[in-house]
Amino acid sequence: MIQPRGSGWEAPATGLGALLREQTAAEHRRAEGGEFQRLLFSGQLPQVIYVAWLAQLQLIHRALEVRLWRDWEAESWRELTAADRRRSVDQPPAELLGAHYVLEGSGNGNRMMARGLRAAYGLQGQAGTRSMDPYGDGQPDRWQAFKSALDEALPEMHWTRALEGARQCFLALARAGEEILPAVGTAQPITEP
């Protein structure tokens, strides 16, 4: 059993998805609360920096997918690694499922952000925002299906490792924004060739 942060023992959340949500709240707030994320969410990030950010996210998704995607026997694993969840071992490392939780869950806030980015950058349809809003109106249902499958896919004895993977992913995303932020002031507009 995982012991929650803070003083004393508290009963763990019901299911791995709930545990990850509760136990990564601080890292989640840090990942979403930086100046880079504020500029991104408000559509004030220079477009060239937004494009660079998407390129970095593509690399993260590709690295994760190489390790997770294959033909799984268990239904819960097939749901977690469904072909349309891709954005770019008998039991994959639990840490990767924690990171997958973070990246898949980012679609909830990213969906709202994508609307603003389309307006800010004059984007049409899913052009330039598909990786942020891959499921469109289906996002809530896809997120629920993912969390249900997550609860079934990984035995509780591996939850600590999944939790660490989720925490590290949130922290890496926060650091990535912090590292890109200095380039905002020097960004040059994208010009047509």
Side-chain angles (χ1 to χ4, degrees):
M1 289 267 179
I2 297 174
Q3 291 194 9
R5 293 180 179 173
S7 60
W9 167 255
E10 300 172 36
T14 303
L16 179 55
L19 176 84
L20 292 173
R21 182 186 67 248
E22 289 175 9
Q23 295 293 307
T24 62
E27 292 86 356
H28 192 164
R29 282 190 301 277
R30 179 175 175 208
E32 288 185 342
E35 179 67 9
F36 176 83
Q37 288 76 13
R38 185 190 66 73
L39 291 171
L40 179 62
F41 193 77
S42 67
Q44 297 176 28
L45 196 65
Q47 190 173 12
V48 68
I49 301 297
Y50 171 65
V51 170
W53 173 251
L54 289 180
Q56 293 302 308
L57 287 178
Q58 179 65 25
L59 293 174
I60 293 168
H61 284 284
R62 187 174 300 140
L64 178 67
E65 291 166 8
V66 164
R67 297 289 306 273
L68 282 179
W69 272 262
R70 68 180 198 81
D71 189 21
W72 295 99
E73 290 182 31
E75 178 63 34
S76 58
W77 282 98
R78 286 196 305 272
E79 175 59 37
L80 289 172
T81 60
D84 66 342
R85 291 201 187 278
R86 298 177 194 182
R87 296 191 222 174
S88 115
V89 240
D90 290 328
Q91 178 93 16
E95 292 87 351
L96 292 179
L97 278 184
H100 191 26
Y101 164 86
V102 171
L103 296 173
E104 190 69 21
S106 70
N108 295 313
N110 286 351
R111 188 167 184 330
M112 291 186 310
M113 191 183 321
R115 290 183 198 129
L117 292 171
R118 287 180 194 115
Y121 301 137
L123 303 172
Q124 299 297 315
Q126 285 193 311
T129 60
R130 185 189 181 299
S131 66
M132 297 186 75
D133 184 17
Y135 310 126
D137 291 338
Q139 175 63 30
D141 292 336
R142 294 307 309 266
W143 179 235
Q144 288 306 317
F146 179 87
K147 290 190 304 181
S148 295
L150 184 65
D151 289 346
E152 294 176 26
L154 195 63
E156 191 172 343
M157 62 190 248
H158 299 293
W159 287 9
T160 301
R161 291 177 32 230
L163 177 58
E164 185 58 24
R167 285 182 174 146
Q168 291 305 314
C169 188
F170 275 127
L171 293 174
L173 290 170
R175 280 192 307 270
E178 292 164 2
E179 290 173 7
I180 292 174
L181 190 59
V184 170
T186 62
Q188 299 298 314
I190 297 175
T191 57
E192 295 294 323

